Amino acid sequence: MAEGTVRVEVDDHIAVLTVSRPQKLNALDLDMLKALSAAADEVEANPVVRVAILTGEGKAFSAGGDIKAWGGMEAQEFGHAWVRYGHRVFERLATLRVPLVAALNGHALGGGLELAGLADIRIAEGQIKIGLPETGLGMVPGWSGTQRLVKRFGAQVVRRMALGGEVFTAEEARLLGLVDIVSPTGGALEAARSYAKRVASRGPAALEIVKLMIASASGEDNGSAVEALGSILVAKTADLREGVAAFSEKRPANFEGGW
């Protein structure tokens, strides 16, 4: 039986995803990665949701990948079943159609920071610590710590964490651009809900398209954002309706360049 899960609660156009493995400081194992993927699918499929919040239960946001989950893996299994699978799950969350706000209720270290880093907005409680301690264990950040985090926060701050082992306070992280807002202890989720309500009051279609446009501009999407934008545009055209009708009726399409 899995000892952790990810709860999804939807209220007033806001979905709250809570990583729930508090006895392990919300460390991620394969079951937790699968639960994150399922939670992302649930949010994506719910047309009521306009914005999502990601947070942790208990004292930590996430302590990262559970060493017991990957420590005994052979190299090939580690690379495929752990690192590459984790990448797919994190990419699923990063490319949600709705904006994602991370409410950092506790420390975000290693894979926990990589998880927070995929959100669009980060709100951290004042007592938390942020860092990438992997090299101290003789390993490297594996879930986009040297890729997405560099694109979003800059190479130098990632060097300081990954090479120098520096751990930042919430306020230091805010000044470095790692988090956007610092809240009082115990206040991250409330602050995230307030911010999410602001986001949810804006045009849902515009939010989705702007998120895709930013992903394209930042080079994070490998072309998928451009194809999604193009597909959304074409889906509304008279030409597409004519093409589908012609296919169904087994006749040549009569395209008129209609929008």
Side-chain angles (χ1 to χ4, degrees):
M1 180 178 176
E3 61 178 357
T5 188
V6 179
R7 295 194 307 273
V8 180
E9 301 164 290
V10 178
D11 181 54
D12 195 23
H13 300 298
I14 299 170
V16 178
L17 287 64
T18 304
V19 180
S20 180
R21 199 186 180 205
Q23 70 277 19
K24 296 290 186 178
L25 298 179
N26 298 324
L28 303 175
D29 59 9
L30 286 173
D31 286 333
M32 291 299 289
L33 289 173
K34 291 174 184 176
L36 279 170
S37 182
D41 288 344
E42 184 175 342
V43 169
E44 193 76 17
N46 190 337
V48 171
V49 176
R50 297 184 182 181
V51 60
I53 296 170
L54 179 64
T55 193
E57 181 178 344
K59 297 179 180 180
F61 174 74
S62 175
D66 188 342
I67 296 176
K68 290 185 178 180
W70 58 261
M73 291 182 178
E74 296 295 332
Q76 185 174 10
E77 182 186 13
F78 180 72
H80 290 272
W82 183 256
V83 175
R84 293 188 67 184
Y85 180 65
H87 261 272
R88 291 196 296 273
V89 173
F90 278 33
E91 188 67 15
R92 187 77 179 93
L93 286 162
T95 57
L96 281 175
R97 63 174 176 82
V98 299
L100 179 63
V101 180
L104 307 185
N105 56 297
H107 299 337
L109 300 168
L113 177 54
E114 291 167 315
L115 181 62
L118 58 78
D120 298 292
I121 301 292
R122 277 157 295 282
I123 298 174
E125 294 182 10
Q127 82 283 3
I128 78 161
K129 299 292 178 64
I130 284 177
L132 294 171
E134 288 90 342
T135 54
L137 296 172
M139 70 170 296
V140 300
W143 290 333
S144 275
T146 63
Q147 303 301 309
R148 180 179 290 111
L149 297 195
V150 167
K151 290 176 181 176
R152 292 195 171 188
F153 310 127
Q156 195 57 32
V157 67
V158 174
R159 286 189 181 101
R160 291 176 63 183
M161 291 187 291
L163 300 180
E166 293 188 53
V167 176
F168 299 122
T169 66
E171 182 58 22
E172 288 170 336
R174 185 188 68 81
L175 294 173
L176 291 166
L178 289 163
V179 302
D180 301 289
I181 298 169
V182 176
S183 74
T185 298
L189 184 55
E190 181 181 353
R193 285 186 187 277
S194 177
Y195 200 96
K197 287 179 181 179
R198 179 199 306 194
V199 174
S201 70
R202 309 178 83 79
L207 290 172
E208 181 176 354
I209 290 171
V210 165
K211 182 168 177 174
L212 287 168
M213 292 167 70
I214 293 170
S216 179
S218 64
E220 292 185 16
D221 70 303
N222 297 320
S224 61
V226 173
E227 291 186 348
L229 288 168
S231 297
I232 290 169
L233 178 62
V234 169
K236 296 182 178 295
T237 64
D239 273 355
L240 178 61
R241 292 192 293 274
E242 167 60 15
V244 172
F247 177 83
S248 299
E249 297 164 11
K250 297 182 172 57
R251 61 173 174 80
N254 180 26
F255 294 122
E256 298 180 353
W259 288 91

